[in-house]
Amino acid sequence: MLQCYPQAELFATIDFLSARDRERLGGRPIATTFLQRAPGARTKFWNYLPITALAVETHDVGDAEMVISSSHAFAKGVVTRADQLHVSYVYSPMRYAWDLHHQYLRDYRLDRGVKGMLARLMFHRLRAWDRQTPNNVDFFMAISKHVRDRVWRTYRRPAKVIYPPVRTHELAVQSHKDDFYVTVSRLVSYKRADIMIEAFRAMPSRKLVVIGDGPELAALRARCPANVELKGWQPDEVVREHLRAARAFIFAAHEDFGISPVEAQACGTPVIAYGAGGSLETVRGAAGGARPTGLFFHEQTAASLQRAVEAFEASRADFDPQVCREWSEQFSEARFLHEFAQATQRAWSQWQRDPRTLESALTDS
């Protein structure tokens, strides 16, 4: 986004970026909120969830003609004037308040008792705020058709789909594949690393490599069979080596988009994915006549995944590394830059002509 608008000012709720990440943003100054100075904001930001909406609303963006919010939860709530165009690029309506609400309560042990009642009250208020703030957005974009549908269901607003940028140009195809499967994921419950481990426990002759860190790492390691290797966090080059060499990439989460499967395909590696959410857009199955870049399993269970791996083994000749690579290019960084710049420029032109017709003129049917 900043490449499209290099002179834009940058606002964030908090800023604890590493030097490497700050360099990616060109070292530009970042305006933060009062939460930047709150005790424990770096490591326990979750504790400030009840006042994060208030923090975002303190940003003064009054000097801008166009405001672009990059929002997975709160950023779209920034306060703008009636004469400012507000474009919001949405990664998802806040999942812990809507689709994954009950799962989050269970994962954080907030589904019962006094703490549970207080948590439910907080989320109730967050949902009310989340339903109100879309009125201050003039044009929604969504990272996938799946998220576009969730934006409509949650906010009753249309959204234009622009897939997020994947750095496919930094990834190389490897045609020769080794004898292991791989997944790259933050180890939290909804990523479902547990069913991957159980599926490969039932297939002791096949090897799975799990790359990533997270709160479930210790528990998963305790139940890990000999043919599953938990490598924890790894640097980018190690991740890329495994993506290039793996027989297939395993993806068991119900995600809004999912960048890792696209990266795997950019390396010429097919994907075995749970057939729901963004995976249905980022992976091409066997239906439709074109050569597949992966296949799906349709129940989020170890048994279903096991059957999918066995089906993949029986049809490996159907998967071509170069076909996987070509499919991944539709999610490239260059494509995002073109589509995002075009969409925001068209929005600005339509806004100046007639703000009332902006959404109908620009969003997908």
Side-chain angles (χ1 to χ4, degrees):
M1 295 178 184
L2 291 172
Q3 288 180 48
C4 293
Y5 296 97
Q7 303 305 316
E9 294 181 74
L10 185 57
F11 295 79
T13 312
I14 56 174
D15 171 18
F16 295 110
L17 288 177
S18 66
R20 181 180 180 182
D21 286 336
R22 194 175 303 282
E23 185 178 333
R24 292 174 61 189
L25 296 178
R28 69 184 67 219
I30 302 174
T32 57
T33 69
F34 62 82
L35 288 181
Q36 180 71 26
R37 302 177 297 277
R42 177 192 287 266
T43 58
K44 298 181 179 179
F45 186 71
W46 178 265
N47 293 339
Y48 294 100
L49 198 62
I51 58 173
T52 303
L54 172 62
V56 169
E57 291 173 356
T58 64
H59 281 309
D60 183 357
V61 295
D63 292 337
E65 293 182 314
M66 178 168 65
V67 175
I68 300 173
S69 58
S70 176
S71 184
H72 85 282
F74 293 100
K76 75 178 191 322
V78 65
V79 177
T80 57
R81 299 189 312 269
D83 61 341
Q84 292 176 298
L85 170 62
H86 180 184
V87 175
S88 188
Y89 188 71
V90 176
Y91 303 93
S92 172
M94 56 175 78
R95 302 184 75 179
Y96 42 79
W98 297 104
D99 292 55
L100 295 181
H101 172 62
H102 297 289
Q103 182 174 330
Y104 270 87
L105 290 178
R106 288 193 298 269
D107 288 350
Y108 288 91
R109 298 180 182 179
L110 294 172
D111 55 341
R112 62 189 65 188
V114 175
K115 284 187 177 180
M117 288 299 296
L118 292 174
R120 291 178 192 279
L121 176 61
M122 176 191 71
F123 284 122
H124 173 74
R125 291 176 174 174
L126 277 179
R127 281 189 289 272
W129 177 87
D130 199 36
R131 276 264 170 83
Q132 175 187 346
T133 50
N135 292 329
N136 200 35
V137 175
D138 302 298
F139 180 43
F140 276 107
M141 300 179 188
I143 65 169
S144 65
K145 296 174 184 176
H146 177 63
V147 170
R148 176 197 63 191
D149 295 344
R150 293 185 62 225
V151 167
W152 174 257
R153 189 171 66 251
T154 307
Y155 306 140
R156 288 297 188 263
R157 294 284 298 278
K160 180 175 181 59
V161 175
I162 298 183
Y163 291 122
V166 182
R167 303 184 119 185
T168 56
H169 61 284
E170 296 182 353
L171 300 166
V173 175
Q174 178 173 317
S175 296
H176 171 73
K177 301 299 181 181
D178 291 340
D179 64 348
F180 68 90
Y181 293 80
V182 70
T183 190
V184 180
S185 173
R186 177 157 169 76
L187 299 180
V188 293
S189 62
Y190 83 91
K191 299 288 189 179
R192 301 313 307 268
D194 59 329
I195 69 171
M196 299 185 213
I197 288 175
E198 293 308 311
F200 278 81
R201 185 191 303 280
M203 299 182 289
S205 63
R206 299 186 176 105
K207 181 180 178 182
L208 173 67
V209 175
V210 179
I211 299 176
D213 199 355
E216 291 207 326
L217 178 59
L220 292 171
R221 185 162 280 154
R223 61 194 287 190
C224 205
N227 62 322
V228 176
E229 181 182 5
L230 289 174
K231 296 184 74 70
W233 179 89
Q234 296 294 321
D236 288 348
E237 189 47 47
V238 173
V239 173
R240 290 169 184 169
E241 287 175 3
H242 282 79
L243 290 180
R244 289 193 295 266
R247 182 171 291 182
F249 185 91
I250 308 293
F251 193 66
H254 185 162
E255 280 284 14
D256 299 316
F257 179 77
I259 284 181
S260 292
V262 177
E263 292 176 330
Q265 291 169 95
C267 293
T269 301
V271 177
I272 301 172
Y274 176 50
S279 297
L280 296 174
E281 300 170 58
T282 60
V283 179
R284 184 170 65 196
R291 293 194 69 176
T293 66
L295 56 78
F296 302 108
F297 59 100
H298 298 286
E299 297 174 4
Q300 227 173 5
T301 64
S304 183
L305 173 55
Q306 180 185 347
R307 289 192 294 271
V309 172
E310 292 168 347
F312 172 79
E313 292 279 1
S315 60
R316 282 179 59 194
D318 295 340
F319 300 94
D320 185 324
Q322 197 56 46
V323 170
C324 292
R325 171 68 187 210
E326 291 169 0
W327 170 261
S328 75
E329 290 295 350
Q330 66 180 303
F331 307 105
S332 70
E333 191 174 86
R335 183 270 325 156
F336 174 84
L337 288 169
H338 171 73
E339 292 184 2
F340 185 80
Q342 183 182 62
T344 50
Q345 289 163 14
R346 288 183 62 199
W348 175 249
S349 297
Q350 188 68 28
W351 170 262
Q352 291 180 306
R353 285 196 295 270
D354 187 352
R356 297 169 299 176
T357 62
L358 193 158
E359 282 189 329
S360 60
L362 300 181
T363 50
D364 304 315
S365 59

